[in-house]
Amino acid sequence: MGKLKEFAILIQNETGKTIIRSNQGNRIPEYPFITYQSIDEDQENVYELEESLNGDIATNKYYNRVEDVVQFDFYAETEENAKIEAKELIKWLMFQGRQIINDNGYGIIELGSIVDNTRLEQTKVFYRKTLDVTIDYLEECSYEIENAQRVVVTNKVDDSTEIIEREVT
């Protein structure tokens, strides 16, 4: 599961609000509900490097610091209710949820302003407010390298190929 999805599930579990990923094409839940999506992600280079050796396999683990702008869209039966939902999430992120979020490896860098994105589709009005939240977290990456048992060197000179194989001891 991705870190952004984990972040959304954490908020959903702690607030009791219905939060789904944007643009899924599934049946929409009952109002009110919130959608989320990443609209801008920036990664910094290696934050920390850990190396370990287990037999013939070397494992390198490193962490990237990811800064992600998450767009939350709040849908409700009225424009006012959509605004209330957005304000409730801001309040939770700023106060009650801040320690919970930090304890789970996320940081809140910036809370944007609530923007009205209400729209009319055919004969139905979709009351929607949008809030951008900039978060950061560490993303763990690792790779394994098996120690070489033999080396093959290919030497190409004047259209001839010489292959040298050596056992590594």
Side-chain angles (χ1 to χ4, degrees), residues 59-124:
T59 302
N60 291 319
K61 186 186 300 183
Y62 61 94
Y63 301 91
N64 282 333
R65 180 183 171 272
V66 179
E67 194 169 298
D68 203 344
V69 179
V70 183
Q71 178 180 305
F72 289 99
D73 291 322
F74 303 83
Y75 292 88
E77 294 170 340
T78 67
E79 184 177 355
E80 185 61 28
N81 287 350
K83 188 174 186 177
I84 289 169
E85 290 292 316
K87 285 182 173 182
E88 286 177 357
L89 183 61
I90 289 173
K91 182 180 172 184
W92 187 84
L93 291 170
M94 289 178 66
F95 302 110
Q96 300 97 323
R98 185 171 290 280
Q99 189 62 49
I100 295 167
I101 289 168
N102 289 340
D103 289 346
N104 283 275
Y106 300 92
I108 302 292
I109 296 174
E110 183 178 0
L111 294 170
S113 300
I114 299 171
V115 177
D116 182 23
N117 283 316
T118 299
R119 67 181 197 275
L120 174 65
E121 285 187 14
Q122 297 173 355
T123 61
K124 182 163 176 55

Side-chain angles (χ1 to χ4, degrees), residues 1-22:
M1 178 181 335
K3 296 290 280 184
L4 184 57
K5 185 174 183 177
E6 288 175 8
F7 181 69
I9 289 171
L10 174 66
I11 295 171
Q12 178 173 278
N13 291 343
E14 294 294 328
T15 64
K17 297 188 178 297
T18 302
I19 303 177
I20 61 171
R21 189 158 184 88
S22 294

Side-chain angles (χ1 to χ4, degrees), residues 126-137:
F126 288 91
Y127 296 103
R128 181 177 96 180
K129 299 291 183 182
T130 299
L131 171 68
D132 292 343
V133 178
T134 305
I135 64 172
D136 72 342
Y137 54 87

